[in-house]
Amino acid sequence: MAKDFSRMEDSNRSTNPSIHEMSSPTRRLLLRGGLGGVAAGLLGGLGGCASLGLGTASAGRGIGFASVPMRAVDQVVVPAGYTASVLYRWGDPVGATAGQPAFRLDAGNTAAEQALQAGMHHDGIHYFPLGSGADGSARGLLAMNHEYVDDGLLHADGMKTWSAEKVAKSIAAHGVSVVEVQRQGAAWSVVSPSRYARRITAATPMALTGPAAGHALMRTAADPAGRTVLGTLNNCGHGATPWGTYLTCEENFVNYFEGPEQPDAHQKRWGLKKGNGAAYRWHEHEERFDASRHPNEFNRFGWVVEIDPADPTSTPIKRTALGRAAHEGAALALTADGRAVVYMGEDARFEYLYKFVSRDAMKPGGAAANRELLDHGTLFVARFDADGRGEWLPLVHGQGPLTAAQGFADQGEVLIKARQASDRLGATKMDRPEWTAVDPLSKEVYCTLTNNSSRGSNNQPAVDAANPRANNTMGHIIRWKEDGDLDARRFAWNHFVLAGDATLARADARGDIRGDAFGSPDGLWIDPRGTMWIQTDVSTSTLGKGDYANLPNNQMLACDPTQGEIRRFLLGPAGCEVTGVVMTPDLRTMFVNIQHPGESPSERSDPADPMKLSRWPDGAGRPRSATVVIRKDDGGVIGS
């Protein structure tokens, strides 16, 4: 996820009460007996052992590696018997043609060259096999996000001087890469040239489809029809569809836009204000990012974008039926009758957790046959009740308070103003819901809630059953099971784990982990075997300090969710976030993204000393985000 200078955590809050405020019995129990007693009473225990009654067998899910000790390092550390190697760094040629420009260690690449190279700050990633069986596990396409940029590394003098060329280079370093990769023996490499290779940036033309396409709030002077957008940005988590497409999620788009002197109520609710544009300064040379001059351009970001990685000529599509949010990810699964269900978290303090259910079932025929599947369906927002039950509330125009009289003229406006609609419905305000994952074996659904230090502070929502800790520095993972199929309106929920460090003095930071300590869970994936992979994103200003005194580096952990033990599999280099994970179909190769190694506590590097905090991965020039390949030395299944 993006760092503090590009987050919307402090956007205007609505006034609908939290669960805690609405539920007086829970309030009394919390005041009288403390959080631990209430959680145990409601949920039957925590720490991964609170079953939702599925009785899923654990065969095949076991984790067989020795835990990696936590320590401060400037390298990728994996368990004994494993090897990690760098595959695709920021600035590496994407491979669309032979002879593409190489990365310059002095940051001297031009904007035009950057548009042909890997972008900065790798994030969500997915592997699409090319071929079946063993062939598909030895050759495939990697689609990955490039979330944001560090201008202190991107330009030789950082932001000391500013120009249209620098803005163009920053725009080109955002977006998505599609690269072809292949394995020869145990070694993986990027294929170049490849007819599939492609960079999608913050300037690539994209189509708007679904109920908000063409809406009055989406029309601009450059696009009076409101159906074509230039670019995608702040691409954080992701998803993948069973028809072979990639879903990239636009997260903290607000800080790319310079707000007006007097923002209106809609702009305020989304955190747009004067001075926002200082983070990237794009509006100084790209006027569409000046909301005073082009107020609707702001509404054209915050969507889930569908990309066909197998067709480099295809136009990416912003699917407005899935709603507008600071989208962290989009985990997709199918109902028994083949309809698509997409679970989405919104990474901002006191924001919401969403579910989209398609109207139609998936058809055979791949991407072409399912081109409109995500344009028709119903978007829901979650309410977690204090009794361990919950409900999905439909964001449908004309139902309940979502009417013209309440400020929602039509379904398009409901989706553009999904936060305001969720406020009106009384959805549960969460502690920054991030990645979601559906267990392929049990159909339980999980969401990481990374942290929320504002929970319970003055004039902010109090603790509630789903978010039970004040000053929640460590975060937690919530779990639910739908009442029947994935399209159900009701569900049962509990806490899978409260993150923390059991050695700490502060009770609300200890957590209930069975295994290795961690905090700020972010990336989340459950592999086809049923093993859960948890990645952390502790900010660089926090690593090794305060509640994180014993956690100097970010990490990735593995867990058998039927047993609850959590074991550390990977340490990332200094100052990095560990984010994005996927495997080949045979589960013998893992791809992990390492984002912003060497990031400074200010979250922007000093261009005069770019290697001050990290020299990873090359030991020269400047630190570079990169995709890492992990293999077991004996060629076996990862994690076994």
Side-chain angles (χ1 to χ4, degrees), residues 8-14 254 259-274 276 298-299 324 351 417 419-420 423:
M8 296 192 292
E9 291 178 348
D10 295 320
S11 58
N12 269 25
R13 315 286 185 240
S14 66
V254 66
E261 291 283 354
Q262 299 295 328
D264 61 28
H266 170 54
Q267 293 169 330
K268 286 181 179 179
R269 181 60 184 88
W270 291 81
L272 183 64
K273 59 184 181 294
K274 187 72 174 177
N276 274 17
F298 177 66
N299 295 327
R324 179 167 173 259
E351 296 301 344
K417 298 179 177 179
R419 281 186 176 178
Q420 294 97 311
D423 293 344

Side-chain angles (χ1 to χ4, degrees), residues 239-252:
T241 71
W243 53 91
T245 59
Y246 182 70
L247 303 178
T248 182
C249 301
E250 298 178 332
E251 192 193 10
N252 292 321

Side-chain angles (χ1 to χ4, degrees), residues 5 89-92 102-122 146-175 199 201-202 256 279-282 596-598 603-611 621-625:
F5 64 81
R89 308 162 181 80
W90 160 47
D92 284 350
F103 179 74
R104 290 183 54 174
L105 296 176
D106 64 357
N109 289 107
T110 66
E113 290 172 335
Q114 176 62 76
L116 301 173
Q117 299 170 327
M120 289 192 91
H121 289 15
H122 299 35
H146 302 293
E147 186 181 10
Y148 66 112
V149 300
D150 179 343
D151 287 292
L153 294 177
L154 186 62
H155 316 294
D157 68 347
M159 301 180 84
K160 183 177 180 180
T161 61
W162 203 238
S163 65
E165 168 69 12
K166 284 187 171 181
V167 171
K169 187 176 181 182
S170 183
I171 285 173
H174 282 69
R199 273 302 321 282
T201 75
Y256 294 82
Y280 294 102
R281 298 177 63 184
W282 288 5
H596 62 67
E603 298 169 354
R604 185 157 276 153
S605 297
D606 178 0
D609 192 7
M611 295 187 292
R622 54 201 59 230
R624 299 161 69 184
S625 297

Side-chain angles (χ1 to χ4, degrees), residues 251 326-329 344-354 428-436 447-451 467 478:
E251 192 193 10
H327 281 293
E328 179 74 19
M344 299 166 284
E346 180 169 20
D347 178 17
R349 292 173 182 162
F350 306 114
E351 296 301 344
Y352 301 114
L353 214 167
Y354 296 95
T428 302
K429 295 177 173 297
M430 306 296 285
D431 284 352
R432 295 181 53 203
E434 301 230 26
W435 292 50
T436 50
C447 179
T448 52
L449 295 118
T450 195
N451 57 53
N467 304 277
I478 201 165

Side-chain angles (χ1 to χ4, degrees), residues 40-93:
L42 291 175
L43 307 176
L46 301 172
C49 297
S51 171
L52 291 175
L54 295 172
T56 306
S58 62
R61 295 191 185 214
I63 47 177
F65 58 88
S67 178
V68 172
M70 173 57 70
R71 63 187 190 275
V73 294
D74 190 29
Q75 59 184 314
V76 172
V77 181
V78 291
Y82 288 82
T83 298
S85 56
V86 175
L87 176 67
Y88 183 62
R89 308 162 181 80
W90 160 47
D92 284 350

